[in-house]
Amino acid sequence: MHEKRVLTALRTGGAMSRAELAERVGLSRTTVSEITGNLLTRGAIIVAETDAAVRVGSGRPAERLCLDPSSGQFLGVDFGHRRVQVAVADAAHEIIAGGVSRYADGTPWDERLEIAFALTERLARETGTHLGALQAVGIGVPGPYVGDQAGVPEISWNRSLAPRGVDTAFAERFGAPVIVDNNTRFAALAEAISHKSAVSDLVYVRLSDGVGGGLVVAGRLVTGGRGFAGELGHVTADPNGATCRCGKRGCLETVASTPAILRACRERGASVGSLDDLAQALARRDPAVEAVLREVGVTLGRVLGATAMVLNPDEVVIGGEIVHLAPVIVEQAAATLRFELYSIPAAEPVVVRAAQLRDSDGAVGAIAALFHQSPLLAEYAEAAPPAGSSPSQRRSTS
Amino acid sequence: MHEKRVLTALRTGGAMSRAELAERVGLSRTTVSEITGNLLTRGAIIVAETDAAVRVGSGRPAERLCLDPSSGQFLGVDFGHRRVQVAVADAAHEIIAGGVSRYADGTPWDERLEIAFALTERLARETGTHLGALQAVGIGVPGPYVGDQAGVPEISWNRSLAPRGVDTAFAERFGAPVIVDNNTRFAALAEAISHKSAVSDLVYVRLSDGVGGGLVVAGRLVTGGRGFAGELGHVTADPNGATCRCGKRGCLETVASTPAILRACRERGASVGSLDDLAQALARRDPAVEAVLREVGVTLGRVLGATAMVLNPDEVVIGGEIVHLAPVIVEQAAATLRFELYSIPAAEPVVVRAAQLRDSDGAVGAIAALFHQSPLLAEYAEAAPPAGSSPSQRRSTS
C-alpha cells in the first residue's frame, strides 16, 4: 500500500527527490528509501537526474526519481478462439503497449503459446518496453482452467480449452509469477472494479461464440468447489430446446450465443450471416430480427433472474460484441430479470447493464486480475511461482 | 485459538493445574496464566480444587482448573412461525440446555421475544445453567433479516418476517453481542461445518411452510449485495405455474413447499392432510403420492441444477422434515441435478444429500454461527454490540 502511494505520487507529481516524496506521501524518509530502493532494483523506477540544477545552497545534490516509462510491470494475455491479445501495464497501472495476433480456429496450444510469446516480444521491441521487471503475468483462456488440480478431468466436448501447463510455460519464459483463469471470469472482475467504488456482488455473462459467465460474491471472484463456477451458458433454459454441443438440450448457449442468434434470425427469413448483417438489419428495423432479439433477451433475463434471486447481486452485466450492436437484448433481459426479482423488495433495483470493457479488452481484464491492491483479489488466487521454485496449488479452493 | 486449545484440553483432560495445562497445550506458563485468568473472570472455567491431596513434596499447593459445567457461553435462538427454540452451549461447544415454546401463527413479535426470554430463563433455572458469562447470542429468524441497514425496505408480502430491533432487544437482555440472520442461512452454515472437514462450497435449500435457501461460497456465508441472497423459493420453476404469495407465478415454493406438496397429493385423489398422512401413504406405496413426490424432485432438481451450474458447489443439501419422511424427493432431485450438470466433468460428482440437522435443530444452527473458530465465519458478520455501546452495522455487506 505504501508502495502504491509512492508510485502514484511519482506518476502524478513527476520526478522528485526522496525527501520531496517522503513529504508528499506522509511517510518517513527511511521508509521511502526502503521502498524506492526496492523499486529501483526491480526496474520500476529510475534515477532521472540530480537536483544540482535546481538546488539552492550547498551540499551534495540529491537524486530525483521518476517512473521508468519503459518498464513493463504487468503482462496481460487473452487467448481467444482465433486470436491472442497482449497488453503491458507500467507501475502506474497504465497500459503502455498492446497488440493482437490472429490464428486459425483449432490452432494447437503449443503454437498459440509461441504466437503469444512472439507477439509480446515484438510489442516490447517496437514500443521500447523492457520486460525484465515484470511483477506478474495474467492469462485469460477460454473455458474453465483447471491448472494442476488433482482429480479434475479435462472437458472432452470443448476442444478449445487450454491444456494444463500454460501457467508454467509463461512463468518459465518471463520469470514472473502467473495467474491463469477463464477469461470471462477475469472480465467479471474487470467490470466489478471498473467503477470508482468497486461493486462487491456482480453477475457477469458474455454472449460470444459460446456463452460464459463469472461471479463476484462479497468482493471475491468465485471459483466453485472444483473451479467450474460461472458456467451460465450451460444452465438449461428450455428442456425441450435444441441440442447443445455439451450433450444436453436447451442450454442458454443454444439460444443466446452469437451463432445461435444469427441462426434464429435466418430461420425467421432474415438474411443475416454475420454481426455486420445483424447491425444492418437492426438499422432498417427488420421486425423478424427485432423479435428474435427480444426472445433472446427474455430467455437470458430468466436465467439471469434465477441467478440473481439466489445471489442478490448489486449489478448484472452482459458482455459480448453483440450486445453493443443490439442493445435491445440488454433492455429486454433487464425487464425480464426485474420481474423475476419481483419477490425481493429493493430501494434501488439491481443494475442491469452492458459491459464497459469490450471483447477486445480481454488482456486488460487479465491485467486487472493482477492488481493485488484490489480487495477483490484478496485470497482469490495464489499466483503460479516463477520457474525454478517449487510447485504449489495455483488456485485457492479452500 | 490458544484459548480454544486450553478449553479443549480442559474438556478432554479434566481438571488440571496451570503447569499441566501449559505442558499439554505446548504454551508458555505466562500465556496459559493470562488465558486462564481471562476465562476465570468470564466464568467459563472455575477453580476445582488444589492439588494438595495429590501433591508430592513440599511447597504451596497449585490450583486445579476445570470447565464450569454450568456456564452457558453461547445462546442460540430459532424463531419459527409457530415456535421458538433455545439452546445453550458451554465453553466446550457442548449443548447443555435446550427447549421449545409454542405460540400461535401470527403472534406479534414483541410477544415472541418475551416468550423467548421466558423460555431461556426457565431453562437456565431448571438446568442450573448460569447465563452471566454469555459470549454471544445467535438468533435465527424466518426470511431475510435486514437489521438496521439503511435503504432496505421491509417485505410487505411476508408477514412473519422479524422486525428490525430483534438484535438490540437480545443484546440489552443478556448483555452480550448478537448476530441475527435468516435461520435457513444458519442451517446452511451448520451443514457446511457438520463434517469433520468443513465443506467450502455448499447450496442449501429447505422445504417447509415456505422454501428458503442459503449459500456457502469459498467458505463464507453469502448475504448478497442487499442481504437477500439464497432466496431459492422464489426462483421461477414454471412461468405458467400457480400464483405465489409473492405475486409471481410458478415460484419453486408453489411446487415444493410442504403445503404445496400436500395440496398436489390431494388433487391427485390421495387423502393427505398432514405430514403424518403423507408418511402413511408412502408406507402403503400410494402411487399418486409417489408420482407427486417424483415431480417435486424433478422441479427441485432443475432449480438446484441451475444454481449448481453457476456456483459449482461440493455439496447440495436438502432440508425440511418432509425430506426425512420422503427420501424419494432427494433421490429424484439428485438424479435431475446430476443431469443438469452433465456439461461439467467431475472426478467425483456433486454430493446431493438430505440435511443432517433437523428443523428441530434450528437453535443449534444459530449456535454454530457463533463459533468464530470456524473459518466459515471469517469476515461474515460483526456481531451486534452489547447494550450501551454505540450502534454499528450488523452485517458486513462489503
Side-chain angles (χ1 to χ4, degrees):
Chain A
M1 247 186 51
H2 289 166
E3 179 179 296
K4 177 93 194 315
R5 281 162 64 195
V6 167
L7 289 168
T8 304
L10 289 171
R11 179 162 59 91
T12 55
M16 60 185 86
S17 69
R18 290 179 180 80
E20 289 165 336
L21 205 45
E23 190 176 333
R24 187 159 178 139
V25 297
L27 293 169
S28 75
R29 292 187 60 163
T30 314
T31 305
V32 165
S33 285
E34 273 173 27
I35 292 171
T36 54
N38 184 270
L39 291 170
L40 281 165
T41 307
R42 280 179 10 222
I45 62 174
I46 53 175
V47 177
E49 55 189 2
T50 67
D51 67 349
V54 296
R55 191 175 181 84
V56 178
S58 62
R60 196 162 60 90
E63 289 174 346
R64 285 160 63 87
L65 307 171
C66 70
L67 294 184
D68 181 351
S70 67
S71 171
Q73 296 277 329
F74 303 96
L75 175 64
V77 181
D78 183 58
F79 287 103
H81 294 284
R82 286 179 290 271
R83 56 107 189 97
V84 59
Q85 294 170 347
V86 166
V88 183
D90 66 13
H93 293 187
E94 302 288 340
I95 304 294
I96 54 174
V100 62
S101 284
R102 299 188 185 281
Y103 42 71
D105 204 357
T107 298
W109 271 90
D110 52 354
E111 287 181 37
R112 294 189 194 196
L113 293 184
E114 287 305 325
I115 291 168
F117 294 157
L119 170 62
T120 306
E121 280 151 14
R122 179 168 62 75
L123 282 173
R125 260 194 326 276
E126 289 175 3
T127 57
T129 304
H130 78 88
L131 299 174
L134 278 184
Q135 290 188 42
V137 180
I139 302 173
V141 295
Y145 184 72
V146 297
D148 60 359
Q149 280 188 81
V152 178
E154 308 266 352
I155 298 184
S156 58
W157 53 266
N158 191 335
R159 281 174 307 146
S160 63
L161 285 187
R164 297 163 201 234
V166 167
D167 45 4
T168 316
F170 271 86
E172 282 174 5
R173 185 75 168 213
F174 296 104
V178 173
I179 291 176
V180 184
D181 207 336
N182 172 247
N183 47 23
T184 312
R185 229 180 250 166
F186 279 157
L189 182 65
E191 292 292 335
I193 60 181
S194 67
H195 298 270
K196 267 184 196 164
S197 60
V199 164
S200 67
D201 290 86
L202 181 141
V203 171
Y204 177 82
V205 66
R206 177 150 58 186
L207 315 185
S208 181
D209 286 353
V211 171
L215 311 174
V216 176
V217 167
R220 291 182 172 79
L221 265 176
V222 176
T223 57
R226 293 278 172 167
F228 294 110
E231 280 291 335
L232 279 159
H234 297 284
V235 171
T236 303
D238 174 7
N240 304 313
T243 302
C244 182
R245 63 186 166 129
C246 78
K248 287 202 302 176
R249 294 179 78 93
C251 291
L252 179 61
E253 188 168 292
T254 67
V255 177
S257 71
T258 305
I261 294 171
L262 297 178
R263 195 180 314 119
C265 290
R266 288 194 296 273
E267 284 170 6
R268 302 281 184 93
S271 171
V272 167
S274 67
L275 285 180
D276 284 347
D277 295 343
L278 185 83
Q280 286 170 24
L282 278 169
R284 62 173 186 267
R285 300 185 57 78
D286 183 315
V289 169
E290 290 267 357
V292 166
L293 296 174
R294 284 274 168 206
E295 287 164 21
V296 168
V298 168
T299 302
L300 184 60
R302 279 190 187 146
V303 170
L304 290 174
T307 305
M309 181 62 88
V310 173
L311 288 171
N312 187 219
D314 302 308
E315 290 199 352
V316 175
V317 177
I318 307 172
E321 287 310 304
I322 197 167
V323 303
H324 297 284
L325 299 173
V328 62
I329 295 175
V330 177
E331 179 192 307
Q332 181 59 53
T336 301
L337 182 146
R338 292 215 179 93
F339 177 65
E340 290 294 321
L341 297 184
Y342 184 81
S343 318
I344 300 294
E348 301 158 33
V350 59
V351 172
V352 181
R353 63 172 174 86
Q356 295 188 358
L357 294 175
R358 308 292 288 256
D359 284 6
S360 54
D361 297 325
V364 175
I367 284 183
L370 296 174
F371 294 161
H372 276 257
Q373 288 83 349
S374 164
L376 290 169
L377 270 166
E379 296 179 39
Y380 166 56
E382 277 183 53
S389 57
S390 67
S392 73
Q393 182 98 2
R394 297 308 186 265
R395 183 186 293 139
S396 168
T397 55
S398 66
Chain B
M1 246 185 51
H2 288 166
E3 179 179 296
K4 177 90 191 318
R5 280 162 64 196
V6 167
L7 289 169
T8 303
L10 289 172
R11 178 162 58 91
T12 55
M16 59 185 87
S17 70
R18 290 180 181 81
E20 289 165 335
L21 205 45
E23 191 178 331
R24 185 158 180 139
V25 297
L27 294 169
S28 75
R29 292 187 61 161
T30 315
T31 305
V32 165
S33 285
E34 273 172 29
I35 292 171
T36 54
N38 184 270
L39 291 171
L40 281 165
T41 307
R42 279 178 11 221
I45 62 175
I46 54 176
V47 177
E49 53 188 2
T50 67
D51 66 351
V54 297
R55 192 174 180 83
V56 178
S58 63
R60 194 163 62 90
E63 289 174 346
R64 286 160 61 88
L65 306 171
C66 69
L67 294 183
D68 180 350
S70 67
S71 170
Q73 295 277 329
F74 303 96
L75 175 65
V77 181
D78 183 58
F79 286 103
H81 294 286
R82 286 179 290 272
R83 55 110 189 95
V84 59
Q85 293 169 348
V86 166
V88 183
D90 65 14
H93 293 186
E94 303 288 340
I95 304 294
I96 53 174
V100 63
S101 285
R102 300 189 183 282
Y103 41 71
D105 205 357
T107 298
W109 271 89
D110 50 354
E111 286 181 36
R112 295 189 194 196
L113 294 184
E114 287 304 324
I115 291 167
F117 294 156
L119 171 61
T120 306
E121 280 151 14
R122 179 169 60 78
L123 282 172
R125 258 194 327 274
E126 288 175 3
T127 58
T129 304
H130 79 87
L131 299 173
L134 278 184
Q135 289 187 42
V137 181
I139 302 172
V141 296
Y145 184 73
V146 297
D148 60 358
Q149 281 187 80
V152 177
E154 308 266 355
I155 299 183
S156 56
W157 53 266
N158 191 335
R159 281 174 307 145
S160 63
L161 286 186
R164 298 162 200 234
V166 167
D167 44 5
T168 317
F170 271 86
E172 283 174 4
R173 185 76 169 213
F174 296 103
V178 174
I179 292 177
V180 184
D181 207 338
N182 171 247
N183 46 22
T184 311
R185 227 180 252 165
F186 280 157
L189 182 66
E191 292 291 336
I193 60 182
S194 68
H195 298 271
K196 267 185 196 163
S197 60
V199 163
S200 67
D201 290 85
L202 180 141
V203 172
Y204 176 82
V205 66
R206 176 151 58 186
L207 315 185
S208 180
D209 285 352
V211 172
L215 311 174
V216 175
V217 167
R220 290 182 174 80
L221 264 177
V222 175
T223 57
R226 293 278 173 168
F228 294 110
E231 279 291 335
L232 280 158
H234 297 284
V235 170
T236 302
D238 174 8
N240 304 314
T243 302
C244 182
R245 64 188 166 128
C246 79
K248 288 203 301 176
R249 293 178 78 93
C251 293
L252 179 60
E253 187 168 292
T254 67
V255 177
S257 70
T258 304
I261 294 171
L262 297 179
R263 197 181 312 118
C265 290
R266 288 193 297 272
E267 284 169 8
R268 302 279 184 93
S271 172
V272 168
S274 67
L275 285 180
D276 285 345
D277 296 341
L278 185 83
Q280 286 169 23
L282 279 169
R284 63 173 186 266
R285 300 185 57 78
D286 183 316
V289 169
E290 289 268 357
V292 165
L293 295 174
R294 285 272 168 207
E295 288 164 23
V296 168
V298 168
T299 302
L300 183 60
R302 279 190 186 147
V303 170
L304 290 174
T307 305
M309 181 63 88
V310 174
L311 289 171
N312 187 218
D314 302 306
E315 291 198 353
V316 174
V317 177
I318 307 173
E321 287 311 303
I322 197 168
V323 304
H324 297 283
L325 299 174
V328 62
I329 295 176
V330 177
E331 178 192 307
Q332 181 59 53
T336 302
L337 182 146
R338 293 216 179 94
F339 177 67
E340 291 293 321
L341 296 186
Y342 184 82
S343 317
I344 300 293
E348 300 158 33
V350 60
V351 172
V352 181
R353 63 171 175 86
Q356 295 188 358
L357 294 176
R358 308 291 288 255
D359 285 7
S360 53
D361 298 325
V364 175
I367 284 182
L370 295 174
F371 294 161
H372 277 255
Q373 288 83 346
S374 164
L376 291 168
L377 270 166
E379 296 180 40
Y380 167 58
E382 279 182 51
S389 56
S390 68
S392 73
Q393 182 97 5
R394 295 309 185 265
R395 184 186 292 139
S396 168
T397 55
S398 66

